[in-house]
Amino acid sequence: MECPRCHNRDNRYLYEYLGEYYCRKCIMFSRVKTKDFHLTKRIKYPYQNVSYSLDFELSSKQLEISHQLLKNYKEKKNSFVWAVCGSGKTEIVFEVIQYALNQGERVCFCIPRKELVKELYQRIQSCFQNIEIGLLYGGYEKRKDAQFIICTMHQLYKFENDIGFDLMISDEVDAFPFYGNDILEKIFSQCCLGTFIKLSATFTQEDIQGGELLVMNKRYHNIDLPIPKKVICPYWLQKWFLLLILLQKRKRWIVYVPTIHLVKEIVGFLNLFIKNVQGVSSQSLNSQIYLQHLRESSQYVLVSTTLLERGITIENVHVIVFNGEHQIFDERTLIQIAGRVGRKPQYPSGDIYFLTSSQTKAIRQCIKTIKRLNQMNV
C-alpha cells in the first residue's frame, strides 16, 4: 500500500479504520485514504490585462535576471535564484508573474511563514493592477479560486484535488518548516503542473536540482555585504562584551539569542545598565509594537530569538549574535541574521558581531560565504 499524497509505504504509518487504510504520516494536513486518487487539475483562465508598477527602477542585474526568468518560463525551464539578503529578489519575479497571468495561466507565490505571507500580499497587491489575489494562511482563507494565490507552504494541500498552478514561486525554501520536510515538498510538486522558481539567500549545491541557477550577489545599492566580526571569549564573559558594545555604540540593535529563556535573562541584565531594551520571541504578544519602536528610535535594543532571522527590513539596524556557538546558529541562520544589516541605500553598511566561546564551522562558513559573494563577478 502507498499513500497517494506523500507516497509513504511504511506500514507503521498506515492505519485501518472501518475496513479502509489511511496515512498518519501526513494526517496533519487532512486524512488521506490509500484508495484515494489525488488529481490536481489544470484550467485556462480568461486572458487578462494585468500590469504592475514599481516606485523605483530595477538595477541592471535585477533586470537581467527578471528577463532570464521570463525566458526560462517560456521554455518551460525551472529556475533557482540565489539572491543575497536585501537584493530585491521579490521584485524580479513580477515580470514573469505578469506574463503568466496575461496568458490565462494560474500562479502561486508561497512562503513558509504566515507573517511573511501577509506582508508579501500587501506588497504585491499595491503593485499589481487588474487582478484579484487570493490569500491563504493558517486560520484564514480568501478567494481560494483566484487565478493568483499567495499562501503559506502548508496551505498548498488545499489544491491537491483542486486547480493546480502553471507557475509556482517559492521564497525562503531553505527555511523551517519547508526545508527538509518531505511531505511539504511532495505536496509542492503535486500542485506544480508547470514550472517553478525557487528563491533563497542561502542555497547549497544540494538544493539546486532540476533547473538553472541564477545568482544575484549584490544588493540594489551595489555595495559589498558587511562582514561579521568574531569576538571569541568564555560564555560568562559574553554578557559583558555585549554590554560594552551597546554602551560604546548607542545605535539601533537586534541582539539574537538561541532560546526564549535567554531573551528574558539578557533583557533583565541589560535593563540594569541601559534604557530602551525589550525582548521578543514566539511567545511574545507585543512583537509588532516592539518592532515599531525599533524602527522609530535611534537608540534601541531588541533582544530576539531567531524569530526575526528573516523577512524584516529595519533601516540602519545593527546586529549581535549572543552565544554564537549554540547549534541553532547554523550557517544559513547566521547568513540571514547578517543580512539584516546594510539593506538600505542610505545605510549600506553596519556592525555585525558574533559573540562565541569557539569558532564553530557555521561561523567560519558564514564569513567565508559572505566574502566569496562579495568577490564574485556575476
Side-chain angles (χ1 to χ4, degrees):
M1 286 185 294
E2 178 178 293
C3 172
R5 169 191 283 150
C6 69
H7 307 293
N8 165 53
R9 294 181 180 179
D10 190 336
N11 289 331
R12 292 176 299 173
Y13 296 100
L14 297 172
Y15 280 55
E16 184 182 6
Y17 180 70
L18 298 179
E20 296 181 321
Y21 284 87
Y22 67 94
C23 179
R24 290 191 59 84
K25 193 168 187 180
C26 59
I27 198 171
M28 72 285 291
F29 298 101
S30 62
R31 181 179 291 188
V32 175
K33 299 173 185 175
T34 55
K35 70 175 186 178
D36 289 344
F37 180 68
H38 282 255
L39 179 63
T40 309
K41 304 179 287 291
R42 170 185 266 149
I43 70 167
K44 200 77 168 176
Y45 287 79
Y47 283 84
Q48 305 283 354
N49 185 26
V50 179
S51 61
Y52 71 91
S53 58
L54 298 172
D55 56 7
F56 63 93
E57 291 186 7
L58 296 182
S59 67
S60 58
K61 189 63 181 179
Q62 285 175 306
L63 279 172
E64 177 189 328
I65 294 182
S66 175
H67 297 336
Q68 187 61 44
L69 289 174
L70 178 57
K71 180 174 182 289
N72 286 356
Y73 182 68
K74 290 179 178 179
E75 296 175 355
K76 304 187 185 308
K77 185 189 297 183
N78 296 324
S79 302
F80 295 86
V81 180
W82 184 7
V84 298
C85 298
S87 59
K89 61 180 181 292
T90 302
E91 288 77 14
I92 64 175
V93 298
F94 284 6
E95 183 181 11
V96 68
I97 289 173
Q98 175 186 257
Y99 174 83
L101 293 173
N102 285 333
Q103 298 303 305
E105 294 162 353
R106 199 177 198 201
V107 177
C108 177
F109 200 138
C110 52
I111 309 180
R113 300 184 184 181
K114 178 171 71 174
E115 290 305 317
L116 300 185
V117 163
K118 291 192 282 187
E119 182 182 321
L120 177 68
Y121 175 78
Q122 296 296 332
R123 194 167 160 190
I124 289 183
Q125 192 176 48
S126 67
C127 294
F128 275 79
Q129 294 87 43
N130 303 323
I131 188 69
E132 188 163 1
I133 304 173
L135 175 64
L136 291 86
Y137 56 82
Y140 184 85
E141 181 177 308
K142 173 186 175 183
R143 286 299 311 271
K144 176 176 171 282
D145 61 338
Q147 184 184 355
F148 186 11
I149 295 290
I150 297 175
C151 67
T152 57
M153 305 291 197
H154 276 85
Q155 295 298 307
L156 289 175
Y157 83 92
K158 294 181 177 178
F159 301 95
E160 290 176 302
N161 273 335
D162 200 87
I163 303 165
F165 301 97
D166 301 280
L167 171 62
M168 290 192 71
I169 302 164
S170 55
D171 197 0
E172 308 288 7
V173 291
D174 58 329
F176 175 84
F178 184 76
Y179 186 73
N181 189 318
D182 292 340
I183 297 171
L184 282 175
E185 289 180 359
K186 286 184 171 71
I187 292 174
F188 179 93
S189 298
Q190 183 134 340
C191 292
C192 183
L193 303 179
T195 303
F196 68 71
I197 298 171
K198 293 185 177 181
L199 310 164
S200 177
T202 49
F203 277 130
T204 64
Q205 198 60 45
E206 294 74 31
D207 300 327
I208 303 160
Q209 304 290 335
E212 180 181 357
L213 175 64
L214 306 172
V215 178
M216 191 157 63
N217 69 314
K218 295 288 185 184
R219 289 172 167 167
Y220 180 78
H221 49 60
N222 208 35
I223 295 174
D224 283 354
L225 303 168
I227 306 296
K229 304 178 184 73
K230 300 187 298 281
V231 178
I232 300 177
C233 62
Y235 175 78
W236 65 269
L237 199 53
Q238 288 182 34
K239 276 187 185 179
W240 298 102
F241 265 107
L242 171 62
L243 178 61
L244 181 64
I245 293 168
L246 297 179
L247 288 173
Q248 285 183 342
K249 302 186 176 186
R250 296 186 176 272
K251 300 177 179 179
R252 192 178 289 156
W253 291 94
I254 303 177
V255 178
Y256 290 89
V257 299
T259 65
I260 294 173
H261 170 75
L262 265 177
V263 171
K264 300 172 183 175
E265 181 181 324
I266 296 301
V267 168
F269 171 74
L270 293 177
N271 271 324
L272 296 173
F273 304 94
I274 55 180
K275 297 178 181 179
N276 293 333
V277 180
Q278 298 289 351
V280 297
S281 70
S282 58
Q283 296 180 354
S284 301
L285 300 177
N286 299 316
S287 298
Q288 293 305 314
I289 295 174
Y290 295 153
L291 271 173
Q292 194 58 36
H293 289 168
L294 183 65
R295 289 187 170 96
E296 294 172 352
S297 305
S298 59
Q299 296 179 19
Y300 193 85
V301 179
L302 191 60
V303 182
S304 174
T305 59
T306 53
L307 177 76
L308 301 183
E309 161 199 341
R310 300 165 182 260
I312 63 160
T313 297
I314 307 290
E315 188 174 86
N316 196 25
V317 76
H318 310 266
V319 302
I320 299 172
V321 173
F322 178 86
N323 194 195
E325 66 272 19
H326 195 282
Q327 62 184 8
I328 199 170
F329 293 123
D330 58 18
E331 180 189 353
R332 295 174 189 266
T333 299
L334 291 173
I335 288 174
Q336 288 287 348
I337 288 172
R340 301 309 101 204
V341 177
R343 296 168 74 92
K344 292 290 187 178
Q346 303 91 323
Y347 303 97
S349 60
D351 290 322
I352 306 165
Y353 290 96
F354 294 163
L355 305 184
T356 177
S357 62
S358 62
Q359 177 166 249
T360 65
K361 180 181 179 183
I363 291 173
R364 187 170 58 253
Q365 286 299 118
C366 166
I367 295 172
K368 181 179 178 181
T369 298
I370 292 173
K371 288 180 176 178
R372 180 162 55 89
L373 286 167
N374 285 340
Q375 294 167 356
M376 288 175 67
N377 184 22
V378 294

